[in-house]
Amino acid sequence: IEDIIPALQGFSNAYGKIATIKGQDLQHRLRIVGFEKGSFITILEAVWNNLGQNSSQYQALGALAAVTGVGGAGALWIAKAIVGVIRAKKHTKGKPYTEKISQNNQSIIISNSENVTLELPLEIFTIFKEGIIDHDLNKIAKPLEEGKIISTEINVKSETTTESERIELSEKSFFEVEEIVVTTTKEMWITGILNSLTKTTNRGSFYLTDGTRIAYKLSGDHPEDLYTYFIHNGPVKVRCAAHLDENLKPVQIDISEIQPLQTSL
């Protein structure tokens, strides 16, 4: 769960941002439809705002591939846009690149540092160049780890075409970006589990009750006074200020006090 959640959040946030740009008037939800040894599968379903009036149409649509929306702004286009941005980031590898408009003025040709070219539709190139979903793609790639998860893949299927793009562990660095903190909350109490501690930096990871893993820092004049709580196996309650990203998701908490939730026998 700790690996799936950030990846799904990343895809969901990326989808929502592009849908907003395109004036998308449909709501969608992610549903996990299958587990295999070493992998899981999710599918995107359409939920029409006016479901009551178009229930038969909704039943006929079902999954992602059947939803095209109006003016190319539907689920299919949005998912293809995410795939296109992933493709562009893999192509440029985080290095400088050059760009030029194609002869039909409808697409952009990207030449990477190795002088290899990639052609992208103008709208998708704009999303890539402006970094609109960079932080969300970072979340999709974040669970990749040696000996655990070695790749993640997005497949977009329609009645006539199939597009897919895979991010390998070796390509993870192409998607890494520095987390941007847009606001910080007042101190509050939250519940979770302390997972790790590096004493030289007073930092580690903390699991929220929904399984989300976030970074923390022990704050205050004497953070070493809080070390004793790491022998506690169960959940704890921590008083902290949370730093939130552009999606108002916590990226780090500063812990000033810890209380165990279970009294020691």
Side-chain angles (χ1 to χ4, degrees):
I1 294 298
E2 71 192 59
D3 295 320
I4 293 175
I5 286 176
L8 294 183
Q9 286 177 336
F11 183 87
S12 175
N13 292 338
Y15 184 96
K17 289 175 183 176
I18 298 175
T20 300
I21 292 171
K22 295 294 292 182
Q24 174 68 279
D25 59 356
L26 296 176
Q27 297 177 0
H28 299 89
R29 64 172 179 234
L30 279 171
R31 179 167 61 92
I32 296 177
V33 297
F35 280 90
E36 297 177 1
K37 186 176 181 180
S39 67
F40 72 93
I41 302 170
T42 62
I43 194 169
L44 186 65
E45 291 185 331
V47 183
W48 296 86
N49 289 332
N50 53 350
L51 178 59
Q53 300 176 2
N54 296 282
S55 58
S56 60
Q57 185 180 20
Y58 167 73
Q59 291 170 3
L61 287 173
L64 163 67
V67 184
T68 56
V70 179
L76 185 62
W77 189 93
I78 295 170
K80 284 185 175 182
I82 295 173
V83 168
V85 175
I86 291 174
R87 193 168 291 154
K89 291 185 75 67
K90 288 177 56 175
H91 178 69
T92 56
K93 302 179 181 180
K95 298 179 180 179
Y97 61 88
T98 59
E99 61 192 74
K100 67 177 181 179
I101 301 176
S102 64
Q103 291 183 350
N104 61 12
N105 293 325
Q106 298 298 314
S107 61
I108 300 293
I109 299 173
I110 305 171
S111 296
N112 64 14
S113 60
E114 299 170 352
N115 205 30
V116 179
T117 61
L118 172 69
E119 188 169 349
L120 283 179
L122 180 58
E123 287 181 294
I124 296 177
F125 173 78
T126 301
I127 295 170
F128 159 69
K129 185 175 182 178
E130 295 182 359
I132 293 172
I133 61 172
D134 279 3
H135 289 273
D136 309 311
L137 296 183
N138 177 44
K139 289 184 177 180
I140 292 176
K142 198 169 186 177
L144 299 181
E145 185 178 341
E146 188 69 44
K148 292 182 62 179
I149 300 176
I150 60 173
S151 68
T152 183
E153 183 174 20
I154 295 179
N155 292 286
V156 185
K157 298 180 181 180
S158 69
E159 293 180 357
T160 57
T161 62
T162 298
E163 289 191 37
S164 66
E165 198 64 46
R166 180 188 295 261
I167 302 174
E168 302 287 352
L169 177 60
S170 59
E171 299 167 327
K172 181 179 179 179
S173 61
F174 305 157
F175 298 87
E176 291 177 339
V177 293
E178 183 179 352
E179 296 283 1
I180 296 177
V181 175
V182 297
T183 187
T184 301
T185 67
K186 295 181 179 179
E187 282 202 329
M188 57 185 175
W189 289 94
I190 64 174
T191 301
I193 296 176
L194 293 162
N195 181 58
S196 64
L197 169 66
T198 302
K199 292 182 179 180
T200 54
T201 60
N202 287 315
R203 295 176 181 270
S205 60
F206 184 85
Y207 288 109
L208 302 178
T209 53
D210 67 355
T212 302
R213 179 174 53 189
I214 59 175
Y216 76 82
K217 179 180 70 174
L218 298 180
S219 60
D221 296 332
H222 300 285
E224 64 275 5
D225 292 344
L226 302 177
Y227 291 175
T228 183
Y229 293 102
F230 284 86
I231 63 173
H232 181 70
N233 273 334
V236 296
K237 186 168 67 171
V238 301
R239 185 160 63 91
C240 64
H243 304 288
L244 309 180
D245 66 11
E246 58 184 353
N247 298 306
L248 298 183
K249 304 289 186 182
V251 295
Q252 179 182 297
I253 56 175
D254 295 341
I255 298 176
S256 58
E257 186 178 347
I258 303 174
Q259 293 181 4
L261 287 185
Q262 300 172 359
T263 303
S264 299
L265 298 178

